[in-house]
Amino acid sequence: MTKIELNRIRRFVLRLGKTLHEYGTPAHRLEGILNDTTRQLGLEGDFLVTPTSLTFVFWEQNSEDEFTHVMRVCPGGIDLNRLAATHQLVEQVLAGQITLDQGFERLEQISQLPSPYPDWLDFFTWGSTSLCFAALCGADALTTMCAMFAGWLAYCLTLWAGRSKRVEEMLEPLSALLIALLGSGLTALGMQLNVPILVLSGIIIFIPGLSLTIGLRELAARHLMSGTARIMDASMTLFKLYFGTILGLALGGLWWGNTNLHMPLGNYNELQYLAVLGLASSLLVTFKISQRDAIWGLLSGCIAYLGAMLGNYWFGASLGGLVGALVVGVYANLYSSIRKVPSSLVLLPGLVLLVPGSKVYVGLNSLVSGENILISTPTGVQVFLTFMSIVAGLMFANAIVPPKQRL
């Protein structure tokens, strides 16, 4: 193999790794894909993936010369539409159906793919997610409607952060601070609001419950560096959100005076399923799932929630997520095998409805302030058991129906 060919293969694998990381591929999956691709292209390689760095080592068979490349990256978001397109490219490369030149061209095309949904729907989704979460918590109608506007405020701040590096660094605490400050101000004007639920609903998209679950899943797969880094990053995000909330409430008390920020929560069982359906629908837009897979992603959310309810009835709240994760994991692997697409396309919308990210925030508030936001505040042990039951459910699902796709 000539030096020019070696360089082209290395550049392609580097570009592929960065692309998959950017669109939300977990470390244990990404390292496997890079190994398979490198071997198919005629090289050997070792790879180390973390949320903030990618390390590549290449060498030829029967050669002691190695090429090492370390790449600094930002923690990736989730774009399931582009992830599915990249997965298709990987399968074509491994099957020898396209050349490297075609692969480079296809990666560039994928990076230019537009969102499957218009911007106005993305804006609407942030509000509907907050509204549905507040309804699911049992908030009254006024708090629920104000939560929708809080979600829209968080969306506007996110757009601002995309244009300003300084705002990007303080996006989470700034969002929590402004929502808490405005909520306490409206309460001072006489509106009967449950401000803690309003704040939690407004920042719910920032709550890193999925990141915590993926981090634990990576630790279970013995990818210790990536799992630990992801959990620490998610923990810092939670602390930033909580600090912003506390500061916003403190400023509100200083400016507006002390008011009653807590309102009793109801138990609106007839709205529970509508709220879950609304949350599941919003996640399709948030994760940018293609429209051809949208209905199956929505079904995944319903399956996960119903499975969790059944698990709660059988095993209690702490282990109920095991049944939900098991059912949605089997469903996702079957869908992946039939459609030849990544299982994450339908797994993530269901998984997000199971992860107790908001419960970590609630537990943190209870630990620091001694106040309970929800009717039943979970302990740290219960939250940890819930996370681990979800991880265990996914592992059992992979054992029952092994995933046949690499993502």
Side-chain angles (χ1 to χ4, degrees):
M1 188 177 297
T2 66
K3 187 175 181 179
I4 295 178
E5 291 175 329
L6 282 173
N7 288 334
R8 291 178 67 248
I9 292 173
R10 288 196 294 251
R11 285 193 300 110
F12 177 78
V13 176
L14 292 174
R15 179 73 182 277
L16 179 64
K18 184 178 180 180
T19 299
L20 288 171
H21 182 277
E22 181 181 352
Y23 301 149
T25 307
H28 58 289
R29 294 289 182 89
L30 179 51
E31 290 181 10
I33 290 173
L34 294 178
N35 272 313
D36 292 342
T37 304
T38 304
R39 192 171 295 112
Q40 173 65 26
L41 295 175
L43 288 180
E44 297 294 326
D46 272 334
F47 308 94
L48 180 61
V49 176
T50 73
T52 57
S53 66
L54 301 174
T55 302
F56 303 79
V57 181
F58 302 97
W59 69 91
E60 289 186 87
Q61 291 184 352
N62 304 319
S63 174
E64 296 182 357
D65 295 330
E66 293 182 348
F67 173 86
T68 302
H69 184 94
V70 180
M71 185 184 301
R72 178 70 168 85
V73 292
C74 295
I78 297 178
D79 188 330
L80 294 182
N81 184 42
R82 292 177 178 175
L83 184 64
T86 310
H87 170 266
Q88 184 181 25
L89 169 63
V90 169
E91 295 300 325
Q92 291 174 337
V93 170
L94 294 178
Q97 297 175 353
I98 62 175
T99 64
L100 280 184
D101 289 334
Q102 292 173 323
F104 278 113
E105 181 180 354
R106 183 60 182 147
L107 284 174
E108 183 62 29
Q109 292 172 354
I110 291 172
S111 68
Q112 302 298 324
L113 283 177
S115 171
Y117 304 99
D119 291 339
W120 67 264
L121 187 58
D122 199 22
F123 171 77
F124 176 80
T125 294
W126 279 66
S128 64
T129 300
S130 298
L131 182 147
C132 293
F133 182 81
L136 200 59
C137 291
D140 60 281
L142 183 58
T143 300
T144 300
M145 291 303 298
C146 288
M148 178 175 64
F149 288 97
W152 285 338
L153 173 60
Y155 176 80
C156 293
L157 290 173
T158 302
L159 293 182
W160 186 15
R163 296 173 173 84
S164 171
K165 186 66 176 178
R166 290 182 298 174
V167 177
E168 181 183 5
E169 293 176 350
M170 57 184 296
L171 173 62
E172 294 89 353
L174 179 63
S175 300
L177 186 152
L178 290 178
I179 294 172
L181 182 61
L182 292 174
S184 59
L186 292 175
T187 303
L189 292 175
M191 298 180 67
Q192 301 295 312
L193 297 175
N194 189 314
V195 177
I197 289 295
L198 172 65
V199 176
L200 178 58
S201 302
I203 62 174
I204 189 61
I205 288 187
F206 297 129
I207 299 289
L210 182 61
S211 294
L212 287 168
T213 304
I214 294 176
L216 289 172
R217 179 68 183 90
E218 289 175 341
L219 287 178
R222 298 189 176 180
H223 287 258
L224 305 183
M225 289 183 62
S226 179
T228 302
R230 199 179 298 273
I231 290 174
M232 291 304 300
D233 179 56
S235 300
M236 286 306 302
T237 299
L238 279 171
F239 279 113
K240 289 190 291 185
L241 289 169
Y242 185 69
F243 173 78
T245 302
I246 292 298
L247 182 57
L249 294 177
L251 291 175
L254 181 64
W255 292 353
W256 322 121
N258 293 323
T259 56
N260 180 22
L261 302 179
H262 293 265
M263 293 292 296
L265 295 174
N267 187 15
Y268 308 108
N269 291 324
E270 65 275 9
L271 298 178
Q272 175 180 332
Y273 298 106
L274 287 177
V276 171
L277 190 62
L279 273 177
S281 302
S282 299
L283 291 171
L284 303 180
V285 181
T286 301
F287 290 152
K288 297 179 174 60
I289 299 176
S290 64
Q291 296 181 15
R292 65 178 178 274
D293 297 309
I295 186 64
W296 304 107
L298 183 62
L299 180 60
S300 170
C302 298
I303 289 174
Y305 188 76
L306 293 175
M309 289 184 61
L310 186 61
N312 290 344
Y313 177 76
W314 284 345
F315 306 116
S318 298
L319 298 177
L322 186 147
V323 177
L326 175 64
V327 174
V328 77
V330 169
Y331 166 76
N333 288 344
L334 288 173
Y335 181 81
S336 173
S337 300
I338 295 171
R339 290 289 306 276
K340 310 299 183 186
V341 295
S343 61
S344 54
L345 286 185
V346 293
L347 177 63
L348 293 187
L351 197 60
V352 169
L353 292 179
L354 299 177
V355 295
S358 60
K359 293 183 179 179
V360 179
Y361 177 93
V362 171
L364 180 63
N365 177 80
S366 178
L367 177 65
V368 175
S369 67
E371 298 177 348
N372 294 333
I373 295 178
L374 301 177
I375 296 175
S376 177
T377 299
T379 65
V381 174
Q382 290 173 330
V383 172
F384 180 74
L385 280 176
T386 303
F387 273 114
M388 291 311 302
S389 67
I390 294 172
V391 173
L394 293 176
M395 295 174 68
F396 289 146
N398 289 340
I400 295 172
V401 181
K404 295 185 178 180
Q405 302 301 314
R406 293 175 175 83
L407 288 177

